[in-house]
Amino acid sequence: MNLSSLVRLRRLWDRVRPLPRPVYLPNTPRVADAFPENVFRTPNTMTLAAAALSEEAVCFMEELIDRLTPSEELAGQQAYYRLARAQFGRHMRFADLTTALWAASTLIRPSDYLEIGVRRGRSACVVGATNPECAILGFDLWLPDYAGVPNPGPGFVRSELEGVGHQGSVELVSGDSRESVPAYFAEHPDAFSDIITVDGDHTALGAATDLANVLPRLKVGGVLLFDDIVQRPALRGVWERLVKRDSRYVTWEYTDAGDGVAAAIRIGDRPMLHWRDQ
Ligand SMILES: C[S@@+](CC[C@H](N)C(=O)[O-])C[C@H]1O[C@@H](n2cnc3c(N)ncnc32)[C@H](O)[C@@H]1O
């Protein structure tokens, strides 16, 4: 079998492989429940995208990076933003996990944030800096030298969060998320989040398991973020099957440049019958 047949077979397998499915819970809380007189309005995907692609988001990240422990990776991210802004000025449009998270964090003002794949706390710090009181719950295996960068673990992440002014509670659960996340929810049946980031295990099955485990815990009106859908095409397939095709969500994907990021806004407790289904 030649290489192109193998690639075709692989793509077919990615489309049809059995994936774990979320088991949704009745009466999911709404983000609005935390707002006085329920004045909260769920942003639509265009609003979320406009914020994620804004110059404000990029400028926020450039400044935030200055407050984090330096690394080559962060320096590269910052240099990319600066060069792009210098070249394209106010017309620059770019999104990644961190700008999408800035958008969600400023639009939703979360009180509870959950992240699978915390690593050095870069994305958690976006939430911690924009919403200093937000409770942060993270899951990670702390794989050593992940992507060639030291992955020092919970103590390091706590000090990064403190460094950006976060004051809310921080709970960091160590272990394989396939087991640690269901174990956590078994002990915390009432735990729901306003924003969830899934950025841990990057295998199709691992990411699908993480999504299946956390999707039922996203509040209605909340935002889910999923990273690397360009860098890992199999992850894009997982996203489409578990989230994009589910009418509980409206979604936005940025795939023009960088690693690619996907966002979903949960619009319903149960599947919605909307114009796409009629
Ligand atoms: C891409 S990094 C997360 C980056 C972080 N979200 C950020 O934006 O800076 C992925 C992290 O997932 C963790 N990870 C990988 N497989 C995992 C698993 N099965 N369970 C828990 N964590 C895992 C790695 O240890 C690593 O820290």
Side-chain angles (χ1 to χ4, degrees):
M1 195 178 293
N2 63 26
L3 188 62
S4 66
S5 311
L6 275 173
V7 169
R8 269 203 303 280
L9 255 182
R10 175 72 211 212
R11 285 194 186 136
L12 178 67
W13 173 239
D14 283 341
R15 277 206 302 277
V16 299
R17 71 186 305 162
L19 293 178
R21 294 276 158 187
V23 179
Y24 282 96
L25 304 163
N27 306 318
T28 312
R30 310 175 72 84
V31 173
D33 294 347
F35 279 68
E37 296 166 28
N38 284 358
V39 290
F40 174 81
R41 294 283 172 274
T42 305
N44 61 31
T45 52
M46 289 298 114
T47 303
L48 185 71
L53 293 162
S54 68
E55 196 177 5
E56 204 181 339
V58 166
C59 290
F60 169 86
M61 279 313 300
E62 282 180 27
E63 283 167 22
L64 184 79
I65 288 171
D66 280 335
R67 294 154 74 192
L68 301 176
T69 301
S71 74
E72 265 182 38
E73 192 186 15
L74 287 176
Q77 182 177 348
Q78 196 180 48
Y80 179 83
Y81 294 150
R82 285 190 174 148
L83 285 172
R85 282 205 307 123
Q87 187 171 353
F88 305 122
R90 64 190 170 83
H91 301 297
M92 178 206 175
R93 293 291 179 270
F94 174 78
D96 58 24
L97 174 62
T98 56
T99 69
L101 203 42
W102 176 84
S105 298
T106 49
L107 297 172
I108 301 268
R109 290 187 276 131
S111 49
D112 289 279
Y113 173 64
L114 185 157
E115 180 166 287
I116 301 182
V118 179
R119 195 160 55 139
R120 296 165 63 90
R122 177 194 62 156
S123 36
C125 282
V126 177
V127 180
T130 48
N131 296 271
E133 305 300 328
C134 180
I136 294 182
L137 169 62
F139 296 87
D140 205 300
L141 249 183
W142 319 110
L143 289 172
D145 293 325
Y146 189 90
V149 182
N151 202 0
F156 179 87
V157 173
R158 283 177 192 281
S159 95
E160 293 291 87
L161 281 165
E162 273 173 31
V164 300
H166 179 249
Q167 293 155 18
S169 69
V170 181
E171 193 171 357
L172 298 170
V173 182
S174 302
D176 187 335
S177 58
R178 295 187 207 205
E179 285 144 29
S180 60
V181 173
Y184 182 90
F185 286 135
E187 278 180 30
H188 300 84
D190 298 327
F192 289 88
S193 302
D194 304 286
I195 301 178
I196 296 179
T197 296
V198 174
D199 188 23
D201 186 340
H202 279 48
T203 64
L205 198 56
T209 306
D210 286 342
L211 282 173
N213 286 334
V214 298
L215 282 169
R217 302 306 184 121
L218 181 65
K219 290 184 197 171
V220 176
V223 175
L224 169 74
L225 296 165
F226 188 62
D227 202 17
D228 297 319
I229 58 165
V230 167
Q231 201 197 50
R232 305 283 181 112
L235 294 188
R236 190 166 183 178
V238 166
W239 173 259
E240 285 177 3
R241 288 174 63 189
L242 263 65
V243 184
K244 197 173 173 63
R245 284 184 208 158
D246 187 328
S247 61
R248 290 175 186 83
Y249 305 96
V250 287
T251 70
W252 171 69
E253 294 83 22
Y254 179 81
T255 55
D256 283 16
D259 297 333
V261 62
I265 300 166
R266 184 157 179 192
I267 54 171
D269 186 15
R270 283 180 276 176
M272 314 277 286
L273 183 67
H274 51 61
W275 65 270
R276 286 192 301 202
D277 309 313
Q278 289 164 22

